[in-house]
């Protein structure tokens, strides 16, 4: 019956490719694992992987949203660093050119330059 569940690696790869892992998806996997085991989700199994990926994505979205709600002129290098850390965790590698982190860093650099510091 294990074949009915997606492999953890597939879930991770989908997350790295930017596919949102929803809470519903993680919950459905947990329910399927409970059906298979008869006692609960599999420790370290696909449901745990999906929940972890979901949480990392949500942390990134929350941090990026928090910074996006700030007035543009108040975005700091610390904001940029926090978004970069969250984006790196969500996607498993340092964000590149054109990423959310890169855009926030650009704004922070412009703000620092405008303040003359």
């Amino acid at each position: 019956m294990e074949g009915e569940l997606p492999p953890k690696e597939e879930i991770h790869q989908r997350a790295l490719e930017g596919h949102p892992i929803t809470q519903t998806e993680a919950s459905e996997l947990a329910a399927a694992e409970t059906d298979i085991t008869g006692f609960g989700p599999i420790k370290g199994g696909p449901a745990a992987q999906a929940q972890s990926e979901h949480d990392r994505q949500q942390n990134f979205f929350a941090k990026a949203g928090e910074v996006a709600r700030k007035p543009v002129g108040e975005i700091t290098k610390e904001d940029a660093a926090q978004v970069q850390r969250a984006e790196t965790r969500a996607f498993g590698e340092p964000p590149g050119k054109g990423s959310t982190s890169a855009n926030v860093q650009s704004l922070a650099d412009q703000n620092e330059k405008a303040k003359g510091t």
Side-chain angles (χ1 to χ4, degrees):
M1 292 189 119
E2 177 67 28
E4 295 177 15
L5 298 173
K8 293 185 333 180
E9 297 76 18
E10 179 183 311
I11 296 166
H12 180 66
Q13 188 59 42
R14 286 177 39 224
L16 293 180
E17 291 169 358
H19 171 78
I21 307 297
T22 66
Q23 185 62 56
T24 299
E25 188 175 356
S27 295
E28 287 171 352
L29 285 170
E33 288 179 359
T34 299
D35 289 345
I36 291 168
T37 64
F39 60 85
I42 301 164
K43 185 175 181 173
Q49 183 72 40
Q51 186 64 55
S52 177
E53 299 293 350
H54 168 76
D55 292 348
R56 280 184 252 167
Q57 289 175 343
Q58 292 305 304
N59 288 339
F60 167 57
F61 296 148
K63 180 49 67 182
E66 178 184 314
V67 172
R69 287 186 290 279
K70 290 179 81 169
V72 172
E74 294 180 15
I75 294 174
T76 66
K77 287 187 175 264
E78 179 58 30
D79 293 327
Q82 290 176 6
V83 171
Q84 182 182 29
R85 281 191 293 274
E87 191 169 10
T88 298
R89 284 191 48 105
F91 297 108
E93 61 184 31
K97 203 173 196 175
S99 67
T100 300
S101 297
N103 292 330
V104 174
Q105 183 64 56
S106 177
L107 290 171
D109 290 344
Q110 290 172 25
N111 290 339
E112 188 170 300
K113 191 180 276 187
K115 291 179 184 175
T117 56

